[in-house]
Amino acid sequence: MSVRGAFRARPSLRTQRRLTRGMQVTLVAIVVYGAAFGQPKAITNGGLGLFVTFVPALVERNYEIPLDPWLGVWITTAVFLHTLGSAGFYAQIPWWDHLTHALSASLVAGAGYTTLRAIDLHSDEIRIPSRFAFVFILVVVLAFGVVWELFEFGLDIVSAETGISMPLAQFGLDDTVLDLTYNSVGALIVATFGQAHLTGVAERVRESLYGALDERS
C-alpha cells in the first residue's frame, strides 16, 4: 500500500471504530436497562445485537479475512437499528420497521453475492454471469425473508400458548407483505450496486478460505 493509501486508510479505520464503539456502548446500555427494569426483550435483543457487532472482528482474527472497515459498520448498523426498534422505535416510528428490513435484507444479499462470487473466482470451470447473480441475490433474500416470517409466526404461536413475551412478533398480513416488500428493496440495491463494490471482499474471502483448505489437504 502506498503512503497516500495508508494515510487514507487510517482515518477511515478510526472513523469506523468510533462509530462501531458508539453503537456498542448504546447496546450495552440497553442490556443494562433491561436487566435493571425487568425488560427481557431489551436484554435478548441488546445481547444478541451486541454479539453480532463483534462478528467482523472474529472473522478477521479466526479466518484471517481482512474486511473493509465500512463492512463492519454496515453489519453493526443493521443490528443496532433493529435493537433500537425493539426498544420502542418500532411502535413510535411507523417507517422504522421498513428501514431495518431493507438494511437487514441488504446484508443477506451481500453475504449471498460474496459467497457466489468467491466460488466464481475460485474455479475457471465455473462462470456466473452478472444477470444470474442479480437473480440469485433476489431469490436468496426472498427465500430468507419467507423463512424469517415463518419463524416469527412460530414465535407468535409459542407466545400465545405460553404467555411469554417474545423478542419478535408479527402484526398481521399487511405487516408481513410490507416486510417482504422492503426485503426486496434491500436486495435490489445490493443486486444493482453490490456487484461493483463487493468483488474485492469476495476475492479476499476466496483467497483466505481456499488457502486454508489447500493447507489442510
Side-chain angles (χ1 to χ4, degrees), residues 65-68 71 114 118 197-206:
I65 301 176
L67 301 178
D68 186 278
L71 185 59
T114 299
H197 297 283
L198 292 175
T199 299
V201 177
E203 291 175 348
R204 290 191 290 272
V205 169
R206 180 193 67 83

Side-chain angles (χ1 to χ4, degrees), residues 90 94-109 137-138 141-142 144-146 148-149 174-190:
Y90 284 144
W95 50 263
W96 195 266
D97 184 50
H98 308 330
L99 173 65
T100 56
H101 267 275
L103 188 56
S104 299
S106 71
L107 277 177
V108 175
I137 291 171
L138 291 179
V141 172
L142 290 175
F144 183 86
V146 170
W148 184 263
E149 295 300 325
D174 291 346
D175 176 67
T176 299
V177 172
L178 282 173
D179 287 348
L180 294 175
T181 299
Y182 282 94
N183 287 348
S184 302
V185 170
L188 282 171
I189 292 173
V190 173

Side-chain angles (χ1 to χ4, degrees), residues 10-169:
R10 285 195 295 271
S12 177
L13 184 59
R14 285 199 298 269
T15 302
Q16 178 266 335
R17 285 177 176 172
R18 288 171 182 170
L19 289 171
T20 301
R21 293 294 179 268
M23 288 186 279
Q24 287 173 335
V25 168
T26 304
L27 291 173
V28 170
I30 291 174
V31 173
V32 172
Y33 166 81
F37 294 94
Q39 298 291 332
K41 184 178 291 187
I43 298 173
T44 302
N45 285 289
L48 289 175
L50 186 62
F51 170 76
V52 173
T53 64
F54 290 101
V55 168
L58 292 174
V59 169
E60 286 191 294
R61 185 185 67 184
N62 295 338
Y63 298 99
E64 298 181 353
I65 301 176
L67 301 178
D68 186 278
W70 294 105
L71 185 59
V73 174
W74 186 13
I75 295 172
T76 303
T77 301
V79 298
F80 176 71
L81 293 181
H82 167 67
T83 304
L84 288 183
S86 299
F89 281 28
Y90 284 144
Q92 298 175 6
I93 304 175
W95 50 263
W96 195 266
D97 184 50
H98 308 330
L99 173 65
T100 56
H101 267 275
L103 188 56
S104 299
S106 71
L107 277 177
V108 175
Y113 173 73
T114 299
T115 303
L116 184 72
R117 181 63 174 162
I119 295 173
D120 184 21
L121 292 170
H122 177 68
S123 175
D124 293 334
E125 299 178 357
I126 299 176
R127 182 180 177 276
I128 301 175
S130 58
R131 291 182 180 179
F132 176 82
F134 187 95
V135 175
F136 175 82
I137 291 171
L138 291 179
V139 171
V140 166
V141 172
L142 290 175
F144 183 86
V146 170
V147 172
W148 184 263
E149 295 300 325
L150 290 174
F151 175 66
E152 288 187 345
F153 180 72
L155 290 181
D156 284 345
I157 295 176
V158 174
S159 179
E161 294 293 332
T162 62
I164 300 174
S165 177
M166 294 294 170
L168 299 170

